[in-house]
Amino acid sequence: MNAADICIIKRDGKQESFSASKISNAIGKAFQATGLEKQEQLIEEITRRVIAHFTHPTLGVEEIQDLVENELMKVQPEVAKKYIIYRQWRNTERERKTQMKHIMDGIVAIDKNDVNLSNANMSSHTPAGQMMTFASEVTKDYTYKYLLPKQYAEAHRMGDIHIHDLDYYPTKTTTCIQYDLDDLFERGFHTKNGSIRTPQSIQSYATLATIIFQTNQNEQHGGQAIPAFDFFMAKGVLKSYQKAIVTDIAFYMEMKGTPIDEKALTEHVRKHLTSIEPDAKAQKAFLAALANEGCFLTEEELAHILHSAHKQVRKDTHQAMEGFIHNLNTMHSRGGNQVVFSSINYGTDTSPEGRMVIEELLQATVEGLGTQGEVPVFPIQIFKIKDGVSYSDADYQKAMTDFEAALNGGMTFEAPNFDLFLKACRTTAKALFPNFMFLDTPFNQNEKWNPNDPKRYRYELATMGCRTRVFENLNGEKTSLGRGNLSFTTMNLPRLAIEARREAERTPGNQSQEAIEQHAKELFLQSVHRMSEFIGEQLYVRYQYQRTALARQFPFMMSNDVWKGGGKLNPNDEVGDVLKQGTLGIGFIGGHNAMTALYGTGHGHNRKAWNTLYEAIEEMNRVADEFKQKYGLNYSILATPAEGLSGRFTRIDRKKYGIIPGVTDRDYYVNSFHVDVKEPISIVEKIKCEAPFHALTRGGHITYVELDGEAQKNVRAIAKIVKVMHDEGIGYGSINHPVDTCHNCGYRGVIYDKCPICNSENILRMRRITGYLTGDLNSWNSAKRAEERDRVKHH
C-alpha cells in the first residue's frame, strides 16, 4: 500500500495525512534517550518495517505505536523500553487533561468518590471542603508540570512511588511538629493580632494549648503533637491550686476580721506550697511565714483550706481537660473545614500535678462529647510506658491477683504511675485511646534520660498519633521537641515484587520453583535498593526547595521558635539550615502483597516470606544510612500510614498487571509491614511477627490488634495485650475494637444493624483508619472501607 494514500485518525477523531517522518522522529528520540547516537540508517529501516505492516487506508495512532514497539523489540529491546515508557508518560499526560475537568465536576456535584473522600478528617461537601479539594487538585497539577523534575513526576504518575502531600509542595512547608509547650508558655508567644502572656491557671494552660494547635496547624500540612502533655499542664494545676489557697485564706481571714495583704500571701504560698500535696514540713514553714505577717492559722484550719483548694483544683483541672477535648473536636480551624490533626503524649510525670492532669484527662475522655458521650476523635492520645515509672512486671503480676481491686484503687504499687496505666487501659477499652508508646524498647531509649531530671521529658520519645516518629538527630539534640518531619515518599513494594517474580520466571535456567523464588528474591532486593536511592534523591530535591522558603511564610512557627532555630531568623531570611533537624522519610506499603507476589503467601505464617520482607527493609535502612552520610540529613524508614494511597497503587497495578490473587485482587494494599488484615492470627502471633520491624522503621510505625466488642467489658485483656507488646519490643501499639453509639438514645456498645434499646438505625460507628479515629465510615475512601470490612478479630 502506498504510504501517501494512508490517512491517520488522531485520538480526538480528526484525520490527517500520514507522515513517515513522525515515526522516524519518535524512534530517534527513543534512541537518544538510551544514549545511542548516529543510528539514522537503523531508524529508517525500522520505519520502513512499520510502514510495511500497513494493510488499511486508515489507521489509528495507537495501532501505529503498537507496530513501532514490536519492531523495536526485535532489534533494540532497550530502546523499545524507553519508547514504551515515553508513550505511557504521554498517555498519562493526555489523560490528566481530560481527568481534571472530570475531577472538578465531581467536586461540584459532591460525588462520593475517592478524590472527595481522600481525607476522612475533612468534610469535602462543605464550601470550605470543596475549595480545599479544588485547590488541592489544581495545585497537584501545577506541581507535576512546573516543580517536580520529570523523572520524579513520571515515577509518581506511573505508580512506582507516591510523593505525599503534593498539593502542599509549592508552599515549601513541612509535615508536622512537636511543641515545646513549656518554652512557649514561659516566654509567652505572639500571633498575628497580639501577644500572649504566660498563663496563670490550668484553664488558661489548656486553652492556650488549643490555640497553639490551631494557629500552627495552618502553617503545616500534617499533624501537630504535644510530647509531654502531663509535664506541660502540671504547672497550670499548681498555679490554680495556689490561687485557690490565696483566695480561701484571704476570705477566711476577712471573715475573722483580720484582713491580710494578698500580695504578701501569694508570695508565701508560692514559696512554701510548691505541690498540691504539701508535706508537713512545708505546711509548718508556711504557717510560720503567715504568723510573721500577723496571720494566725491553726494546723486544722490550714488542713481544711488545703483540702478545699485540692477539691477545687481537681474540679478546675477536669473542666480544663473537658474543654480541651471539646475544643479540639469542634473548632474547625484547619483548611477545608477540618479540626486540627492533634496528638498528645503523656504518662510519665509522677508529680501530683502531672498525675492529676492524666487522671482528669482520662476521665474526660471516658465521659466523651456532648450529652450522649460520643467518643472523641481528637486529640490522639498516647500513654508512655516507662519501667519503674508507669509500669513494672512486679506491679503487673500483683494487679493480676485481684484485677478489680487494682483497677479501683485497692492496691499500692512500686511504679508511681502504674495505677494510671491501669486507668489508661480502662479508657482504651471505652474510647479506643490512649495508644501506647514503649520507652524502654531499645531503639526508643535516650542515654540522657535521668529520673531525677525535672525536664526528663526532653529525652523521652513522643510520637504523632498517626505513627510519624522524630527522635534521632544528626544535627542537634536527640529529642522529639521542636522538630518534625520535612516530607516523605512511599515506594510501591508490591510492584517491585511482581516485576521481580515475572523476570525470574522468564529467565532461562530457572527450572524449579525454588530457583525461581531465589532469583526473584535477589532481583526484588536489588530493586528495593535502587528505589530507595531514587526516593532518597527525590527527598533531597524537595528539601533543597523547602529550605528556600522565607521565615515570614511561617510567621507563628518560625518567629515563636516553635520549630527550634526559627526564632533566630529575620522575616525575610530563608529558613535554610533550620530545617536540618527535621526528618526525611523513605516509606513503603504492601509488604504482605509483595511477599504474596513472590511466594504465593504473606509473611504472617511463612518464614521465608518474613525473612525476605525483613531483608528488604534492612536494605532500605542501608540506603538511609548512606544518604545520612552523603547529605548530613535525618533520613529514616517509615511504615507509611496510607489512607488514600492504599487504593491508588492497587488501582494502577491492577490495570497494569491484571488481577493477581492475593496481590491486586482487592481494593487496597495492606499497610506497611502489617500482617494481612484478613489473616487469622492470634494476638500474640501478630505482635511477635510485627515487632522486629519496629526497630527498622524509625521514621514511624504502629502495630495494632483487632478485638471484638467485648473489650469494653474486659480491661484485664487490654492490660495483658499491652504487656505482650512491652515484652516483645513493640515501639508503638494500639488496640482496636468496635465502638458504636446510638444517636437517638445514646446507647454505646457493639451495635450490629439496629440499636438494641430503641431500634434506631442512626448509629455512629467509631473506627480507627490509619492511627486516628473517624466516626462516620461514609467519610472513608473506597479502599479503606474495603479494608475495614476485611479486618478479622484477633484472639
Side-chain angles (χ1 to χ4, degrees):
M1 180 173 291
N2 191 333
D5 299 327
I6 300 296
C7 181
I8 303 301
I9 302 174
K10 301 178 71 175
R11 290 179 180 83
D12 59 4
K14 294 180 181 178
Q15 297 185 5
E16 67 176 30
S17 299
F18 170 72
S19 171
S21 63
K22 289 188 176 182
I23 296 177
S24 301
N25 290 339
I27 297 172
K29 288 179 180 178
F31 270 90
Q32 290 173 6
T34 317
L36 298 174
E37 303 289 341
K38 298 180 180 180
Q39 300 291 322
E40 288 77 7
Q41 187 173 346
L42 180 55
I43 292 170
E44 290 302 318
E45 174 61 27
I46 295 170
T47 304
R48 284 194 292 273
R49 291 182 185 179
V50 170
I51 296 172
H53 288 288
F54 292 179
T55 57
H56 299 286
T58 57
L59 286 168
V61 172
E62 295 291 339
E63 294 177 78
I64 296 175
Q65 290 183 340
D66 287 343
L67 292 171
V68 172
E69 283 185 19
N70 292 336
E71 292 303 321
L72 279 171
M73 286 297 293
K74 294 176 184 178
V75 293
Q76 288 286 350
E78 288 301 314
V79 176
K81 287 182 181 179
K82 292 291 184 182
Y83 182 85
I84 292 168
I85 290 171
Y86 178 73
R87 181 182 176 186
Q88 288 176 325
W89 168 252
R90 291 287 297 163
N91 286 341
T92 303
E93 285 293 304
R94 278 187 289 269
E95 288 173 8
R96 181 76 182 175
K97 291 178 182 178
T98 57
Q99 281 177 353
M100 184 56 71
K101 183 177 186 301
H102 177 73
I103 289 169
M104 295 298 172
D105 290 343
I107 298 170
V108 171
I110 60 172
D111 291 341
K112 285 192 173 181
N113 56 40
D114 286 346
V115 170
N116 288 339
L117 301 178
S118 62
N119 180 353
N121 187 35
M122 186 168 73
S123 302
S124 60
H125 57 276
T126 64
Q130 285 181 299
M131 282 301 297
M132 188 74 175
T133 312
F134 279 130
S136 175
E137 294 304 314
V138 172
T139 310
K140 286 178 188 175
D141 193 57
Y142 174 80
T143 303
Y144 288 134
K145 290 178 178 176
Y146 305 111
L147 298 180
L148 275 182
K150 182 180 177 183
Q151 68 269 30
Y152 304 130
E154 182 179 320
H156 179 96
R157 290 265 184 90
M158 302 295 287
D160 293 328
I161 64 173
H162 182 86
I163 304 170
H164 292 267
D165 303 294
L166 270 175
D167 45 352
Y168 277 89
Y169 197 110
T171 70
K172 305 180 183 179
T173 189
T174 54
T175 303
C176 57
I177 188 73
Q178 300 218 39
Y179 305 126
D180 184 350
L181 275 192
D182 187 61
D183 181 46
L184 280 169
F185 285 161
E186 290 303 309
R187 287 189 291 107
F189 59 90
H190 59 269
T191 62
K192 181 178 179 181
N193 294 318
S195 298
I196 307 296
R197 293 186 297 270
T198 300
Q200 297 300 320
S201 68
I202 182 57
Q203 292 96 333
S204 294
Y205 270 74
T207 300
L208 290 182
T210 307
I211 290 171
I212 291 168
F213 265 133
Q214 293 168 338
T215 307
N216 197 74
Q217 177 66 83
N218 288 302
E219 295 181 14
Q220 295 185 289
H221 56 70
Q224 316 288 302
I226 299 175
F229 186 74
D230 43 354
F231 283 92
F232 296 149
M233 293 293 111
K235 286 184 178 180
V237 173
L238 180 59
K239 289 178 181 180
S240 286
Y241 176 70
Q242 292 170 335
K243 187 182 296 185
I245 292 172
V246 170
T247 300
D248 287 353
I249 291 178
F251 177 75
Y252 184 66
M253 296 308 296
E254 186 174 336
M255 292 290 289
K256 291 177 69 174
T258 56
I260 185 171
D261 181 357
E262 288 196 24
K263 184 176 181 182
L265 176 59
T266 299
E267 290 177 359
H268 291 309
V269 169
R270 290 176 177 173
K271 179 179 180 181
H272 297 289
L273 302 181
T274 57
S275 166
I276 63 172
E277 295 179 2
D279 58 22
K281 183 179 178 181
Q283 292 182 43
K284 188 171 291 188
F286 176 63
L287 287 173
L290 290 186
N292 289 333
E293 297 287 339
C295 175
F296 298 97
L297 288 177
T298 67
E299 291 183 3
E300 291 75 16
E301 287 172 328
L302 178 61
H304 180 78
I305 289 171
L306 295 182
H307 177 70
S308 175
H310 196 278
K311 281 179 60 179
Q312 182 61 47
V313 78
R314 184 172 290 280
K315 181 180 177 182
D316 291 346
T317 301
H318 185 79
Q319 289 179 339
M321 296 303 100
E322 193 175 52
F324 180 72
I325 291 172
H326 277 71
N327 283 337
L328 287 176
N329 283 279
T330 57
M331 298 182 74
H332 294 74
S333 57
R334 183 180 178 184
N337 203 37
Q338 300 175 76
V339 295
V340 178
F341 193 103
S342 54
S343 305
I344 57 174
N345 298 255
Y346 57 83
T348 55
D349 187 349
T350 58
S351 72
E353 298 78 26
R355 284 174 50 78
M356 183 177 284
V357 168
I358 299 170
E359 287 173 335
E360 298 310 317
L361 175 69
L362 292 173
Q363 183 60 37
T365 302
V366 169
E367 291 169 3
L369 305 173
T371 57
Q372 295 183 343
E374 295 100 333
V375 173
V377 172
F378 291 111
I380 301 173
Q381 299 181 34
I382 302 102
F383 188 90
K384 295 190 281 190
I385 303 290
K386 177 67 180 173
D387 289 351
V389 177
S390 56
Y391 179 85
S392 82
D393 282 331
D395 286 338
Y396 175 85
Q397 298 302 331
K398 181 178 181 180
M400 287 297 151
T401 62
D402 188 347
F403 194 77
E404 285 304 311
L407 190 60
N408 294 316
M411 289 185 184
T412 57
F413 302 103
E414 63 179 36
N417 283 3
F418 185 81
D419 60 327
L420 298 181
F421 161 67
L422 295 179
K423 290 179 180 180
C425 290
R426 181 168 61 192
T427 307
T428 295
K430 295 285 186 182
L432 289 161
F433 287 144
N435 301 336
F436 297 91
M437 168 68 67
F438 300 90
L439 299 185
D440 288 297
T441 301
F443 53 84
N444 284 349
Q445 294 178 9
N446 190 322
E447 59 280 357
K448 288 188 176 182
W449 189 87
N450 184 330
N452 299 315
D453 181 358
K455 291 193 175 184
R456 57 189 178 276
Y457 58 81
R458 293 176 298 179
Y459 309 114
E460 293 177 357
L461 173 67
T463 186
M464 301 300 306
C466 62
R467 81 190 62 187
T468 308
R469 179 182 181 276
V470 178
F471 198 40
E472 293 82 12
N473 191 2
L474 293 176
N475 301 303
E477 188 78 79
K478 181 181 178 181
T479 183
S480 296
L481 272 67
R483 304 173 57 214
N485 176 255
L486 298 174
S487 68
F488 62 101
T489 296
T490 296
M491 73 175 71
N492 185 344
L493 214 57
R495 174 175 290 191
L496 300 181
I498 293 169
E499 294 282 3
R501 176 74 191 207
R502 290 190 172 189
E503 186 170 343
E505 289 173 342
R506 290 194 300 264
T507 302
N510 286 344
Q511 301 299 321
S512 68
Q513 183 75 6
E514 184 177 353
I516 291 172
E517 288 182 354
Q518 181 59 34
H519 189 202
K521 174 184 175 180
E522 293 169 0
L523 293 171
F524 173 68
L525 295 177
Q526 291 168 12
S527 62
V528 166
H529 188 98
R530 287 194 299 270
M531 188 57 70
S532 299
E533 290 180 324
F534 183 78
I535 290 174
E537 293 293 355
Q538 180 269 314
L539 290 170
Y540 183 67
V541 168
R542 187 170 186 173
Y543 162 75
Q544 292 283 32
Y545 180 66
Q546 287 175 300
R547 56 180 284 126
T548 64
L550 302 181
R552 62 185 168 88
Q553 292 179 249
F554 318 111
F556 184 82
M557 183 167 64
M558 291 300 171
S559 65
N560 287 297
D561 208 37
V562 174
W563 188 289
K564 293 300 185 186
K568 298 177 181 178
L569 300 174
N570 293 315
N572 288 320
D573 289 345
E574 290 188 354
V575 293
D577 284 347
V578 166
L579 295 188
K580 290 184 75 172
Q581 296 203 51
T583 63
L584 297 167
I586 300 174
F588 66 96
I589 189 176
H592 161 78
N593 308 87
M595 294 307 99
T596 303
L598 290 177
Y599 300 111
T601 182
H603 60 292
H605 288 106
N606 184 309
R607 195 65 195 179
K608 187 186 296 184
W610 190 95
N611 287 337
T612 298
L613 182 58
Y614 190 85
E615 289 178 48
I617 303 174
E618 282 187 312
E619 203 64 47
M620 297 178 201
N621 273 277
R622 276 189 275 276
V623 173
D625 288 341
E626 292 170 7
F627 274 74
K628 285 178 186 176
Q629 298 303 315
K630 183 176 182 180
Y631 293 126
L633 297 172
N634 293 304
Y635 281 87
S636 57
I637 305 305
L638 171 68
T640 296
E643 185 177 338
L645 176 57
S646 64
R648 176 179 179 262
F649 274 167
T650 316
R651 287 192 299 272
I652 296 172
D653 286 352
R654 186 186 298 130
K655 184 176 180 180
K656 182 171 184 175
Y657 302 109
I659 294 177
I660 304 173
V663 185
T664 62
D665 57 348
R666 294 184 225 165
D667 291 336
Y668 60 91
Y669 282 151
V670 177
N671 247 340
S672 59
F673 54 71
H674 291 176
V675 173
D676 183 15
V677 297
K678 294 180 71 172
E679 186 159 348
I681 189 170
S682 73
I683 291 169
V684 174
E685 284 180 311
K686 187 175 194 294
I687 291 170
K688 286 186 174 182
C689 179
E690 295 183 2
F693 294 106
H694 284 222
L696 300 180
T697 49
R698 301 196 185 186
H701 47 244
I702 193 170
T703 281
Y704 72 89
V705 295
E706 197 84 25
L707 305 184
D708 61 25
E710 295 304 307
Q712 297 180 54
K713 304 172 186 176
N714 193 353
V715 180
R716 184 188 186 106
I718 300 289
K720 285 183 176 181
I721 293 168
V722 177
K723 174 176 168 52
V724 174
M725 289 181 174
H726 169 275
D727 293 348
E728 294 299 328
I730 290 290
Y732 177 45
S734 67
I735 299 166
N736 292 348
H737 54 87
V739 177
D740 302 328
T741 304
C742 175
H743 277 300
N744 285 15
C745 73
Y747 172 80
R748 188 190 296 181
V750 181
I751 303 175
Y752 295 99
D753 296 319
K754 299 179 180 180
C755 174
I757 304 300
C758 70
N759 215 33
S760 169
E761 296 181 0
N762 187 14
I763 309 300
L764 176 74
R765 302 189 185 279
M766 190 65 68
R767 301 293 185 272
R768 197 185 310 272
I769 184 165
T770 59
Y772 63 97
L773 307 180
T774 57
D776 182 1
L777 298 185
N778 289 326
S779 68
W780 292 23
N781 63 60
S782 58
K784 295 308 286 187
R785 287 200 302 272
E787 188 234 86
E788 194 277 336
R789 286 193 299 270
D790 286 346
R791 294 176 184 174
V792 300
K793 307 302 179 187
H794 304 125
H795 301 283

